[in-house]
Structures are given as C-alpha cells and as structure tokens.
Amino acid sequence: MTEREGTEIRVRGQVQGVGFRPFVWRLARDRGLRGWVLNDAEGVLIRIWGETAGFTEALRDEAPPLARIDRIETREVTENPPDGFEIRASEGGTADTRVTPDAATCPDCLAEIRAPGRRHGYAFTNCTHCGPRFSILRGLPYDRAQTTMAGFALCPECRAEYDDPADRRFHAQPVACPACGPRLWFEAGGAELAGDPVALATAALKRGEIVAVKGLGGFHLACDARDPEAVGRLRARKHRPAKPFALMAREADLDALVRVTPADLAALRSPAAPVVLMQARGTLPAAVAPGIDTLGVMLPYTPLHHLLLDAFGGVLVMTSGNLSGEPQVIDNAEARAKLAPFADGFLIHDRDIARRLDDSVLRCDPPMVLRHARGRVPGVIDLPEGFADAPEVLATGAQMKGAICLIRHGQAMLSHYLGDLDDPLCLSEFERAIADYRALFAHRTSHVAVDAHPGYRASQTGRDIAGREGLPLAEVWHHHAHMAACMAENGWPLRGGKVAGIVLDGTGLGPDGTLWGGELLLGDYHAARRIAHLAPAPLPGGDRAAREPWRNAVMRLDQAGLALPEPLAALPVQVIRAAARAGLNAPLSSSAGRLFDAAAAILGLCVQAQSYEGEAAMRLEALAGTAHEPAEVEDQTDGPQIDPAPMLRMLCGPAPAADRALGMHLWLAQAFARRARRLIETGAAQAVALSGGCFQNALLLRLTLNELSGLPVLIQRETPANDGGLALGQALIASAQSM
C-alpha cells in the first residue's frame, strides 16, 4: 500500500450534533493516523491514511452516547493525505442523514450550572451530549447557521470551546453562555420584572399562582402540584375538568409520589426524558389525576427546569400550554395572547423554537409508547426483511393523534405527535409538518398512503398531494394498518407468513362500510381478512356516542335483553332508541372502545359524559385494579361474532363493582385470544399481533398476553398502538402492494 492509498469511511445514522467528529479526531490522533472528517448531508465522511486495523470497529464500539450508527461503508481512495488529522467544514447537499432528537441535560452540564463559574445558574447550558437539537433545527447539515441559535454570536470563550476538538463543546451548535447566548426573564402584568427570573417564578408558584414556562418544544403551564387550590384554579381556567395533569419532579421526590421500578427510573433518566406513567401513592390532591390510579411524571430535562425545581423544592404540574384542542404554543407573542387567561406570569426567553414538540409519554410495564414526541423524534425504524427496494412512501395517518410516516432507503421515519385534526390549527400544523419533513429529509415521494375513510382530513390531505403531484395513491383499511404497524416494529418479514391481528380500538372504517373496532384479522402486509369481531351495535348520535357513555350502555343492554340500571333509566333513552330503530345517525359499530364506555357507564363511571378521550375506560381500568378476583362470565359459543351479552349479564350482577370491572377485561382478553390461538394451532397464522388504542390499557394487555402464553406474540413497544402509529402500517402496506 502506497502513501497515497487511503480509506474512505461513510458513517450513516444519528451522527451529527452528538460529538462524533471530535470522537473520530481523537480516535485517529491516538492511532497516529492522517486524514480528515466532516459532516455532510449523508452523515459523517472520513478519509484516513495509515494503519487502520480495528478503526471501523472502534467507531461502533466507542461511539458517543447519543450516536446511533445505521451503517458504515468503506472504499479505497488514492490521493495525497494531509500532514495530520483535521476536522473540515461541513458540506451541504441532499439530506440523507439522521437528525438527533432533543436530549436531556447531561450530568456534566448539570454540575456546571450548580457550581461556581461562568455558567453558574445559566438556563441554556449544553454540550455535544445534551441540549436542543430537532426543536431548533431549520435545515441540514446540522450547523449553527441552520438553527435558531444563528442570531447569537459566540463570545471569545464560547468560540474557543466550539473550535477545540478536545472540548466537549466542540461544534455543539447551541453552545452559549450568559455573555453571548439566549436571555431569560420573567413577566407579570404585561411587563418584565426586575430581578432573578427563576426566583421570581418560584415565588409566584409558592403563592399558588400559575406560571407559563417556555421549554424545548413549547410552553408549559406550571403550578404547585401539592396545592389543591392552585390545581383547581388551573383546571377551571383551562376548562379541563378531569384529564390527568403531567408532573415534573426531582428524582429525590419520586418515591413519595409513585412506585418506581428500575425500568421506570431508566426511562426517566434516558436522554429522551419522557413522561412515564407509574402507580400513584395517593399523596397528591385528587384533582391532579381524578379517578386514575397512575401519575405521569417526568424529571427536569433542561437546565431551566433543573434551576426551577431546585429553587421551588417540590413537585410541579407541568401541562401543555395551549387552548383546549389546539397545538402547544411556541412563540412568545402567541403565548402572551393565548395563555394570558391561564397564567399569572411568564418565565420566558428569546431562543426561538423551530418545531413544536409535545412531551413523549410511555409506560414501562408492559412497555408501551403512548405519545411519540420530544426526545424520540426524529427516530427511524429499520424496515423488515424484504423491503430493501421499498419506494419512498408518504403515509398520512388518521384523524386522531395525527402523525405521518416517511419511508426512505430501507427505513421508516414516524413523525412526532401532531394533535387531533378536527382542530383547524392542528390541521394546519399537520400540513406544515408534511412539508417540513419532506423538505428537511429531501424525501422524493413516489407513493402516498392514506386511511380509506373518505372524511378524514389526513386522508384528504394525502389525496390532494397525490393528485397534485401525479403519484400513486394507496387507500389502506384502518385496522389492517394497525396490524401492519405492529408487524413492522417487530421486524416481521415481507414473506414471513400470515399473522393473526387482534385490533381493538375506537372506530375505523371497514371494507363493509361499517365502523369496525373489535377485530380479529388474518393476513400479511399485502392484505387482511376479518375472521371474528365484536357483534356490532348502533352508535346513537354518531360522534356523540364517543363522548357520552350512557348511549353505548343502553344499546348494548337492549341487545342483551337486560333492564337498564337506575342511573341509565332516568336518561332520555327513548330518543336514542327511536333513532337507532330508524337508523338515523346511528351507525353500526363493532368498537371495543365503545364497549369499554358501555361497561363503565353500567358500573356508574362517567355515565353521562367523559371530559376527555378514554376517560371512562381509564376509570374502569383503575377500578378493576382494586378487584379481589374477576367476576365469572358464563361460557360463550365460538363463531365469527363475539356476543358480549354474557359479559353484560355479569356486569349487571351482584358481584362487587371492581370484580365486575376486572371480569369485563378478562372476558374481552379471553374472547379474542382463544380465537387467535386457534389460528396459530391450525397453522393458519404464524404469530399474533396486538394493536389498537385499547391496548394502551395495561391491564387488558397483560391479560391478553397471559391468555396467549406460549405463542409468538408481537406488541408495540417503541411506536404507539393507538392512531399515532397508524401511518407506519399504512406506509408498509403501500410499499408491499407496490413491489
């Protein structure tokens, strides 16, 4: 090998903004290699000359903590090498690299803001191991000029850190200090107040006031979680009577609030810093999470949050700063206009947010992601075997829990949570996100996939794009997409055989024109057919049936020939009965979600209305968690229709309410699992996939897994089983059908 012969190494993945280039620089210098490294739109490019044995292995084995390497490609080059090893300026071009999600404050930066020094108490301290990324990014490659930090010129001290490959802030694009970086202040009564902003905000919180706090991906509304009057005031101002509030607490305070498992703690401490649902100890006012036995808690994940929690010394409600149903506020002026009716003060700063990101939400036992957002996006999923030649697909998801998915170069990228598209501002945000993701990642869309429901705004948007750009359009049935999303996350191969899909959710259009929601399907990525389903019942009032559980209870009890309990009998049941008989705005549905609503109403929970999606089912799950043993349900016959009448008779029986609630969960798990097991045992299916929003119910998921014990079962751990993961399934189905 001559002196001019070297090796070019292309590293693809999440390798920008994570300290990868200085890592390569140190690795090469330690080995006496010559060459260079740079960022470009495809990832990191390295050229090295010298003894390279073990170098690529070290790139994988010793990579920085936030790095995620997808592929390393090498080829031989012949040119004159430089004298030493250098880091070169980034190059632009077509984007083909991973963007790093926003990462929680690392231990080094946390120690720095708490110790004497020039960043003591500085709310925007960060390094290559932590800090804002996706929320400040405007374009690729990831350099300061392409972020919302572009307007903050580095002072000499920060410039020296930024330029020094041996410093942990080398090319940390958001690097800043009080002399040159973003500024924090506190406003009240329409004016900025003099004094320490964190101290002023802390004093307001201790007085029981509500403070709007500007975070990474948007504003939160904060108040003292231990003050029932403050929590009640926030509920009254937000017109949010019962939906649980997320909390932010220091790690030392967790044991007093929730039962923390090692898995919970690992998730809380992770760079994603999500909201984690854990079993409540009952030490906070009931108004924090009415009727629910879990609390959603996150640790402070920015220096500002750490400073605020250190000063406050307690637990804060930290809920999304928005008007009901609208996207989270990210702009200072918008915050002043929209949050003024809620907030007594504003803890605010002048670093712009490029992209609104809600907090991710997950549960660890069983593992499940409920909301895919800050800290988790933009992540990618490697496509299963057989999809190497998949086209570049754009999938637009569903009406609720909006999210899109892009397929490119053997990977799927599921977007962050974009809200419910019934709201015009959420729809506008959804359309902006499609343009944003396609441009940011240079997606050359060749196919579009949408839900088959003609009225979904997400589907209309996808159809418009396909029509405008002359692209093939795949209309995908809702529950097939749920099943395919679960298969895709678990790497089920394109030709891996058929899967039995238990899909339980609210409603989605089925091929027969009715609203499905309690389904056992058999199929693969190409197609799926219905094997069994809940017996359908009318939804009197259409969408009102999803908001008023009593309507579903009346229909189900009438079908079973059972008398109405007193709380139901006193309601205007004859009106909805007449509408159902006449077929007036009373579509038939096999929805498992509406069956949960019916069961809750029969047991006296959320009888007349639920104030947020899933409230009745969540209260029913919490009640079942207090049961001694499940109330028994008489055996039912097998068949394609699963009749809930035996279960309804049990619900109206004499057993304790908690035992009846548990019995309902067990009946549903057994009814579907028994049929799915038969498909496996007869060889019709090779695995069972569980998907749909009802499997967010941890009790139902555990019971179903228990009933399927000994079988290969696929569940969604990293992508939402609810409609937030639907676009992933749509994209895989469209790919399979086009190949």
Side-chain angles (χ1 to χ4, degrees):
M1 187 173 184
T2 68
E3 186 175 308
R4 298 184 71 245
E5 292 177 334
T7 303
E8 180 179 279
I9 303 173
R10 160 68 65 194
V11 187
R12 301 184 187 275
Q14 185 175 295
V15 290
Q16 293 189 12
V18 297
F20 203 87
R21 288 175 301 166
F23 155 67
V24 172
W25 178 83
R26 289 190 294 271
L27 194 66
R29 286 170 63 93
D30 289 346
R31 292 166 178 251
L33 301 175
R34 292 185 290 171
W36 49 260
V37 60
L38 58 80
N39 278 348
D40 64 11
E42 295 185 57
V44 167
L45 187 64
I46 307 165
R47 286 191 182 174
I48 53 174
W49 285 262
E51 180 52 60
T52 61
F55 187 81
T56 55
E57 290 79 4
L59 289 177
R60 285 192 181 278
D61 297 343
E62 302 173 28
L66 295 182
R68 301 290 182 271
I69 296 175
D70 295 334
R71 294 193 305 281
I72 297 179
E73 303 159 2
T74 62
R75 71 181 183 94
E76 299 307 309
V77 294
T78 302
E79 63 182 62
N80 291 323
D83 291 335
F85 195 90
E86 59 193 40
I87 297 176
R88 292 188 173 178
S90 299
E91 296 179 356
T94 301
D96 190 27
T97 187
R98 295 264 294 279
V99 176
T100 310
D102 300 274
T105 306
C106 71
D108 288 339
C109 286
L110 183 56
E112 195 171 2
I113 66 172
R114 288 173 171 165
R118 68 191 189 91
R119 288 193 176 91
H120 174 74
Y122 186 54
F124 307 97
T125 300
N126 66 87
C127 70
T128 52
H129 301 149
C130 68
R133 298 292 194 274
F134 193 46
S135 61
I136 62 170
L137 182 67
R138 297 199 189 277
L140 290 176
Y142 175 66
D143 283 322
R144 193 178 182 95
Q146 300 271 48
T147 73
T148 61
M149 289 295 295
F152 297 96
L154 291 171
C155 68
E157 290 87 351
C158 286
R159 169 58 68 180
E161 294 171 327
Y162 184 86
D163 289 337
D164 182 0
D167 194 285
R168 82 174 197 275
R169 292 195 168 92
F170 176 76
H171 281 216
Q173 306 308 336
V175 64
C177 75
C180 65
R183 186 177 72 89
L184 182 71
W185 67 92
F186 184 78
E187 294 181 8
E192 179 180 342
L193 302 189
D196 176 13
V198 172
L200 292 168
T202 300
L205 291 165
K206 289 184 174 180
R207 291 194 299 269
E209 295 179 2
I210 297 162
V211 175
V213 181
K214 189 176 183 180
L216 272 183
F219 278 79
H220 288 99
L221 292 170
C223 73
D224 184 350
R226 298 190 185 278
D227 183 343
E229 292 185 3
V231 176
R233 193 177 304 116
L234 179 56
R235 288 205 175 278
R237 291 181 184 179
K238 279 207 77 174
H239 303 289
R240 183 172 167 173
K243 189 174 182 180
F245 282 139
L247 303 172
M248 183 174 281
R250 299 169 300 179
E251 190 172 315
D253 295 328
L254 290 176
D255 280 338
L257 304 175
V258 289
R259 302 183 190 280
V260 189
T261 69
D264 294 330
L265 201 55
L268 288 163
R269 289 171 172 173
S270 72
V275 174
V276 178
L277 300 185
M278 293 170 282
Q279 194 72 27
R281 290 192 182 275
T283 55
L284 291 181
V288 170
I292 307 301
D293 60 353
T294 57
L295 291 175
V297 186
M298 55 186 155
L299 297 179
Y301 57 84
T302 71
L304 175 56
H305 292 134
H306 281 286
L307 293 169
L308 185 60
L309 267 292
D310 284 352
F312 182 71
V315 183
L316 293 176
V317 166
M318 196 68 76
T319 189
S320 178
N322 64 321
L323 299 177
S324 181
E326 289 190 2
Q328 189 176 20
V329 171
I330 63 173
D331 178 76
N332 292 353
E334 183 187 17
R336 295 183 186 103
K338 289 189 172 181
L339 302 184
F342 309 145
D344 301 298
F346 292 80
L347 189 56
I348 203 165
H349 59 77
D350 56 357
R351 185 179 69 201
D352 289 340
I353 298 170
R355 196 169 284 100
R356 75 184 80 232
L357 296 169
D358 290 271
D359 295 310
S360 289
V361 182
L362 59 82
R363 188 197 307 264
C364 294
D365 182 23
M368 62 179 77
V369 170
L370 284 75
R371 184 194 291 159
H372 185 65
R374 176 197 50 77
R376 300 183 64 86
V377 291
V380 298
I381 299 165
D382 289 331
L383 297 184
E385 178 185 337
F387 285 94
D389 297 325
E392 295 198 20
V393 178
L394 163 66
T396 61
Q399 184 79 355
M400 304 290 283
K401 298 175 176 60
I404 65 169
C405 183
L406 305 180
I407 283 184
R408 188 169 187 235
H409 293 181
Q411 294 180 319
M413 178 181 293
L414 184 66
S415 80
H416 57 288
Y417 167 80
L418 295 166
D420 295 337
L421 306 188
D422 287 327
D423 180 80
L425 290 178
C426 287
L427 178 60
S428 176
E429 183 73 9
F430 174 80
E431 292 169 343
R432 192 181 81 85
I434 292 176
D436 177 33
Y437 272 77
R438 292 178 75 192
L440 188 59
F441 301 103
H443 193 258
R444 295 178 288 273
T445 308
S446 63
H447 293 69
V448 178
V450 302
D451 191 281
H453 196 299
Y456 281 0
R457 290 173 174 83
S459 300
Q460 293 166 358
T461 299
R463 290 189 188 95
D464 289 346
I465 292 170
R468 186 168 60 248
E469 300 180 15
L471 302 175
L473 178 72
E475 295 186 335
V476 180
W477 297 111
H478 191 90
H479 297 88
H480 185 201
H482 270 305
M483 183 176 85
C486 184
M487 294 162 61
E489 182 187 316
N490 286 273
W492 190 260
L494 178 62
R495 295 174 181 83
K498 295 192 183 300
V499 170
I502 301 177
V503 186
L504 308 179
D505 67 353
T507 57
L509 185 65
D512 63 356
T514 66
L515 297 176
W516 291 12
E519 313 301 323
L520 175 62
L521 306 180
L522 178 64
D524 52 24
Y525 292 109
H526 291 91
R529 62 187 177 93
R530 195 183 204 186
I531 299 298
H533 58 91
L534 283 174
L539 299 180
D543 288 344
R544 287 189 68 180
R547 299 189 296 270
E548 300 176 13
W550 69 276
R551 294 171 178 265
N552 304 290
V554 170
M555 292 296 100
R556 286 296 186 182
L557 290 172
D558 283 355
Q559 279 187 334
L562 297 169
L564 302 184
E566 188 56 39
L568 295 175
L571 295 169
V573 296
Q574 298 306 327
V575 175
I576 65 168
R577 282 171 170 163
R581 285 194 298 268
L584 297 175
N585 194 25
L588 286 174
S589 175
S590 57
S591 169
R594 301 293 78 78
L595 185 63
F596 270 103
D597 292 347
I602 291 168
L603 293 179
L605 306 173
C606 299
V607 175
Q608 296 195 46
Q610 47 187 341
S611 66
Y612 61 91
E613 182 195 8
E615 180 181 5
M618 290 170 67
R619 287 179 179 251
L620 187 71
E621 180 187 5
L623 177 63
T626 66
H628 294 293
E629 59 181 1
E632 291 187 9
V633 179
E634 64 192 67
D635 288 341
Q636 59 175 10
T637 58
D638 289 332
Q641 281 207 20
I642 301 172
D643 183 4
M647 182 273 294
L648 293 164
R649 284 193 286 274
M650 176 274 297
L651 283 178
C652 295
D659 293 359
R660 285 180 278 158
L662 179 57
M664 182 269 177
H665 284 78
L666 182 59
W667 171 84
L668 190 64
Q670 290 176 337
F672 280 93
R674 185 169 68 247
R675 290 166 168 83
R677 180 178 288 275
R678 190 169 299 118
L679 291 175
I680 298 287
E681 291 172 346
T682 60
Q686 280 65 59
V688 182
L690 308 181
S691 191
C694 290
F695 281 117
Q696 292 180 145
N697 181 319
L699 174 60
L700 177 66
L701 180 55
R702 288 192 196 100
L703 291 171
T704 305
L705 289 172
N706 185 61
E707 294 297 322
L708 294 169
S709 177
L711 302 181
V713 182
L714 315 177
I715 64 172
Q716 289 172 258
R717 295 176 173 84
E718 300 297 323
T719 59
N722 60 38
D723 282 4
L726 200 74
L728 173 62
Q730 293 172 348
L732 269 291
I733 290 169
S735 295
Q737 293 175 349
S738 70
M739 293 165 61

